[in-house]
Amino acid sequence: MLDVSQQSPSWVPMVDMLFRRHRLGVGLLDNCIYAVGGRSFNRILKSVEVFDFSIQKWRMMSNMTIERYNLGVGALNNRLYAVGGVNSEVLKSVEYYDPTLDTWTPVAEMSVCRQGVGVGVLDGLMYAIGGYDERRILKSVEVYRPSDGVWSFIADMQFPRYRPGVAVLDGLLYVMGGEFNSTVEIYNPITKTWTMDILSNHEIYGGVVVNRPPHHK
């Protein structure tokens, strides 16, 4: 854990997960961190575990309906969505976890298969960004509207992206880097357009937004 409350931010060791997981999905729901699917050695996992801050322990939750690794995860309307990924094939299926019932339920599939997909949630909508479809890295983006349970395409990004970092800030969707990519693009849902931002010097695979403490410059 990166502790940003200190004058000099520092990394603090935390409790180990219960399973080894590679290319898992990670999501935050009800102040708990969920570790979803992934690979453990040669096994593809459908298991899910959650870190409960109140007791500082990991515990197992209900399994997903299928195994997934290299997936995207997003939290929307108090549900945790597992998006795409891969097992014996690249997936376009999506399912959500209901913490009140401890159950996973499939929803409408995406229009295309996506592994290494970036997921962002903005203004009550969930975006599936880029990824790989068995043939090529994608620059297409789909959006899920829970009100009608339908996926639809929005404007393509300028660059194809595999395993990009995604973060939401001030009403904009930031998509950062990905494999073989160091650029940053920003989506404005009002104008429905993508713009380029600063370039990074390194490939980026993840991003989060943190409320900056006042002592940070």
Side-chain angles (χ1 to χ4, degrees):
M1 175 185 71
L2 179 63
D3 185 353
V4 297
S5 66
Q6 306 300 318
Q7 189 70 36
S8 298
S10 57
W11 286 95
V12 180
M14 298 295 288
V15 182
D16 287 351
M17 293 186 292
L18 302 175
F19 283 84
R20 298 174 184 267
R21 297 176 186 270
H22 169 64
R23 293 204 179 183
L24 67 158
V26 177
L28 181 66
L29 191 63
D30 290 336
N31 206 35
C32 294
I33 296 177
Y34 287 78
V36 183
R39 291 191 70 138
S40 181
F41 300 103
N42 292 324
R43 286 180 54 226
I44 302 172
L45 304 173
K46 60 180 176 181
S47 65
V48 180
E49 53 188 291
V50 60
F51 182 72
D52 189 330
F53 282 92
S54 64
I55 59 175
Q56 293 287 297
K57 288 184 178 180
W58 290 92
R59 53 190 171 87
M60 300 304 299
M61 313 303 290
S62 291
N63 289 346
M64 292 182 289
T65 61
I66 60 172
E67 297 85 357
R68 301 173 189 268
Y69 79 99
N70 212 14
L71 69 153
V73 170
L76 176 63
N77 296 341
N78 203 39
R79 293 171 172 176
L80 194 75
Y81 286 79
V83 180
V86 61
N87 48 41
S88 60
E89 60 184 1
V90 182
L91 302 168
K92 59 181 177 180
S93 64
V94 181
E95 54 187 302
Y96 72 82
Y97 177 74
D98 186 332
T100 62
L101 302 174
D102 190 29
T103 57
W104 287 90
T105 303
V107 297
E109 294 185 338
M110 294 180 290
S111 300
V112 296
C113 304
R114 298 176 188 270
Q115 65 159 308
V117 59
V119 173
V121 175
L122 176 62
D123 296 334
L125 303 176
M126 183 167 62
Y127 294 79
I129 302 160
Y132 180 74
D133 71 351
E134 294 183 307
R135 295 176 298 165
R136 63 190 184 280
I137 299 174
L138 304 170
K139 60 181 179 179
S140 66
V141 180
E142 303 181 54
V143 61
Y144 178 76
R145 292 173 173 80
S147 58
D148 54 21
V150 173
W151 289 92
S152 56
F153 284 103
I154 63 169
D156 286 357
M157 296 179 290
Q158 298 183 43
F159 290 97
R161 298 179 187 275
Y162 176 62
R163 299 175 62 212
V166 180
V168 172
L169 180 63
D170 295 335
L172 300 173
L173 189 71
Y174 287 75
V175 181
M176 300 166 281
E179 201 156 299
F180 314 118
N181 197 314
S182 61
T183 64
V184 179
E185 295 187 57
I186 306 170
Y187 180 72
N188 186 326
I190 296 176
T191 62
K192 297 180 169 54
T193 56
W194 291 94
T195 55
M196 295 295 297
D197 195 21
I198 57 172
L199 303 183
S200 167
N201 292 324
H202 305 281
E203 296 175 3
I204 304 171
Y205 291 97
V208 295
V209 173
V210 178
N211 290 328
R212 184 176 64 187
H215 58 264
H216 280 201
K217 302 299 183 183

